[in-house]
Each structure stands twice: as C-alpha cells, then as structure tokens.
Amino acid sequence: MNTPVLLPTEPWNQPRWRGQRGFYEVYFIKLNLPEQGRALWLRYTLLAPRAGDPVAELWGFCFDHRHPERNWGAKQCLPAAHTNWRKGALPLQLGEGGTLNHTGASGNLTDEGGFLHWELRWTPPLQAVGLFPARWLYSAPFPRTKYLSPGWDLRIEGVVTVHGETLSFAGAPGQQAHLWGTHYADEWVWAHCNAFAERDDAVFEALYASTRLAGRPFAMGMLCLKLGDRFYALRSWRACRQMESRSTVGRWRFAGEQGAFRIEGEIEVDASHFLGARYTTPSGEARWCHNTKVGGLSLRLLTREHGEWRLVQTLSTPDACAVEWVSRQQDERVVRWV
C-alpha cells in the first residue's frame, strides 16, 4: 500500500500570508449533488502582487450537467485590508460576503446575472492529504506552489440558494483544499472525484503540471486513489516524472504506476459544461482556467501479478468529476468567464 503524505489538518489549514509581497493563497470548496447532476465550486483567495495593493476575492460557480445553460459564476473583490487574512488563523472573514473555518463556510455573491448564497458544514478529518511525493517538498523552495487537501473526502451538509432556488442537502461528496505560494506553474490539468457509481468509498485525485526549472522545461504528475482503507499513491520522484499525460481542453488521458499497481484514466467534458476563471499570478501574468465540476471520468486500477497486469477495479462517473485545464491561452469554446 502506497500511502500519500499525511499532515495534521488544523495547522496545515491555517492561512500562510503574513503581509509579504509576491504571494498568493487559495482555499477552495467543491461539492456535488450527483442525483441532480449539479455541483458548486467556491474560492476564497488572496493575491499580494509584487506591485500594487493586496486584494482578496470571493468566487462562486454553479454547474448543472443536465441544463448547462444555467451554469453561472461571479466574484467579489475587496482590499485585503478589509479582511482578517493577515491574522494567520481561521476563521477567515472576507468583508460581509464570506466566511470560512475548519468546519464550514458561508457566503453571498450577486451580479447582474444572478445570486448565490451558501451555508455549508462538514466534519474535517484528522489528517490532510498531500499529493507531493515527499513531505519535505512542503517546506522546500520548490515547488513554488504548495497544495494539499485538509478535507480530501468530505460529506457536506447545508443549504445553497441559486437564482432563487433553494437546495438543502446532507452527505454531499465534497473537498476542501488549500494552496499557497509565490509563482504559478505555466500550465496544469487537475482532477478530483469522490462520487463514483461503483462504490462510495473511492476517492481519486490527479495533477499534471508543467513549468520551468533552472530555465528548462520541467513536468511531473501526481495521483492518488483510495479504495476503502487502502491507498494507491505515487510516492517516488521517478514515478511522478514518468506519469503519462496527454491532454487538451475537454479531454485528458493519463496513467501512472509504481511498484505493483497502475492507474489508467480518461476524462471527457463537452465545452458546454465549462466555466472560465481568469487567474492572476503575483507577477501580474494571466492564467486561464477552464473548469467544470460535472465532468465524466473512467478509471482502471491494475495490479501486477506474476509479471502481468491484472484489472482489479473499474470506477466511473458520467457527471461528477471536478477537472480544470489551466494555461496561458484562453480557449474560445468557453464562453463565460469570471
């Protein structure tokens, strides 16, 4: 069994910004309502650019797989001085619009196209899940973005109001993640799912990123699958560097293996299910995020026995995989941007 990096949840979920320039920090929550084919993505973000005043933003995105014309997103921007982010401890308070703590989140967003309100609660696990292959990478200068999930496999309850429609739910599969750093990768593709058709104790996450290291192109992947109490995670530098990835916006084929296991997967998303988010790096560069929380995913877990690969588990969802493609270019097929 390859267990991922596990870190104590509460200290690793605390804000990292202390007022320094050239820094960014993001908390996000995503949840699915699989029976309805709907999903929610919320972001609480901090950007302290190298030049200019620090700002905080509250983002909200709603996805409807059956009626993609209802997909909607909005954000609120305010000076970081109007938040308590620099305090360095949860709960976060972003003006009057949004709050986030270890066990829940709330907020409101309005624009000319709609209204979103959320009140969410969950029970966090004792340990956060990190995708990096070694714990020391969370304190090393590289990677320049640190990423982990204090709530990798949540069951969320609460109330969401979207355009006047109120949705109450309990046990919705979700995730709460935390990332921070000084620089974005050039491009990446990421996916997470904990709402599979075949079994409700399966969780999957994968990331493949490209950047430059010492002036040269550098790419590596990370993935982790959990079935019941058993983990299958890439935990060696070599396995991460050799992860296979072929992607274009709307389709991702990937595979990773280490030792006696191999994971193969394919994600497909029609362009109608995307919402776009324009990210800004601490240096002022743009990154274009093509995002959905209602993607289709097929996974295969194989184990090596007597020198041959044997299929031991297939997993799938038609409309509950979170996935994003981020790059320096904007895909013209995505029509709504926030």
Side-chain angles (χ1 to χ4, degrees):
M1 181 169 71
N2 281 36
T3 302
V5 172
L6 300 176
L7 301 162
T9 295
E10 191 161 322
W12 283 90
N13 207 24
Q14 299 290 2
R16 301 283 161 166
W17 185 57
R18 299 295 184 270
Q20 65 270 42
R21 294 285 188 174
F23 189 85
Y24 81 99
E25 189 164 16
V26 177
Y27 291 88
F28 75 77
I29 303 151
K30 65 96 173 175
L31 67 88
N32 287 85
L33 302 176
E35 294 182 357
Q36 302 178 35
R38 301 172 78 168
L40 186 70
W41 177 36
L42 308 169
R43 304 178 78 240
Y44 298 69
T45 71
L46 182 286
L47 175 64
R50 296 175 188 172
D53 295 329
V55 296
E57 294 178 325
L58 181 65
W59 307 58
F61 298 81
C62 307
F63 299 88
D64 189 328
H65 188 270
R66 298 172 189 171
H67 302 281
E69 70 278 3
R70 299 179 184 174
N71 293 349
W72 176 85
K75 71 176 180 179
Q76 175 191 6
C77 183
L78 66 159
H82 293 179
T83 77
N84 66 343
W85 207 299
R86 194 169 177 175
K87 180 181 177 181
L90 295 181
L92 283 179
Q93 182 71 47
L94 275 62
E96 299 180 358
T99 62
L100 173 70
N101 57 55
H102 292 294
T103 60
S106 63
N108 298 283
L109 282 171
T110 304
D111 74 0
E112 66 279 3
F115 169 77
L116 174 64
H117 170 77
W118 63 94
E119 295 280 350
L120 307 177
R121 301 175 299 280
W122 60 80
T123 299
L126 295 177
Q127 294 178 308
V129 172
L131 285 187
F132 292 173
R135 180 167 179 159
W136 62 265
L137 288 167
Y138 283 93
S139 56
F142 181 84
R144 288 181 285 179
T145 287
K146 310 304 181 187
Y147 171 73
L148 53 82
S149 292
W152 195 56
D153 181 26
L154 297 177
R155 293 300 178 265
I156 300 175
E157 63 176 303
V159 178
V160 172
T161 301
V162 184
H163 311 324
E165 179 187 8
T166 298
L167 305 172
S168 299
F169 49 86
Q175 178 195 19
Q176 187 252 303
H178 182 201
L179 56 151
W180 65 93
T182 59
H183 187 73
Y184 281 45
D186 289 337
E187 58 183 36
W188 68 88
V189 55
W190 164 89
H192 179 281
C193 184
N194 56 349
F196 289 101
E198 291 78 8
R199 50 191 295 178
D200 59 9
D201 63 350
V203 193
F204 173 76
E205 187 172 22
L207 171 67
Y208 193 87
S210 302
T211 187
R212 299 189 71 82
L213 185 62
R216 296 182 178 181
F218 178 89
M220 68 181 294
M222 292 157 272
L223 60 78
C224 181
L225 172 66
K226 184 172 184 280
L227 297 176
D229 295 327
R230 188 176 183 88
F231 282 101
Y232 303 86
L234 299 186
R235 287 300 308 271
S236 77
W237 190 261
R238 180 179 180 180
C240 291
R241 289 281 283 143
Q242 291 182 344
M243 179 174 160
E244 303 164 30
S245 176
R246 289 179 292 166
S247 74
T248 185
V249 174
R251 189 171 190 180
W252 185 21
R253 290 183 176 178
F254 55 86
E257 65 181 72
Q258 184 174 344
F261 78 88
R262 176 178 172 86
I263 296 170
E264 302 172 343
E266 183 171 358
I267 293 172
E268 291 197 35
V269 184
D270 186 82
S272 64
H273 297 302
F274 282 111
L275 289 171
R278 185 188 188 276
Y279 297 163
T280 303
T281 73
S283 61
E285 299 175 354
R287 296 290 187 275
W288 301 95
C289 172
H290 312 78
N291 194 291
T292 187
K293 297 295 180 276
V294 291
L297 167 64
S298 298
L299 277 182
R300 291 159 42 95
L301 171 65
L302 303 97
T303 58
R304 194 193 306 270
E305 297 182 9
H306 307 295
E308 296 183 356
W309 290 112
R310 182 176 70 90
L311 178 65
V312 296
Q313 180 72 61
T314 59
L315 295 167
S316 64
T317 176
D319 57 8
C321 179
V323 58
E324 68 176 19
W325 286 262
V326 181
S327 68
R328 295 175 179 270
Q329 290 80 39
Q330 182 180 10
D331 193 307
E332 62 183 14
R333 295 174 299 167
V334 179
V335 297
R336 182 175 179 91
W337 289 87
V338 177

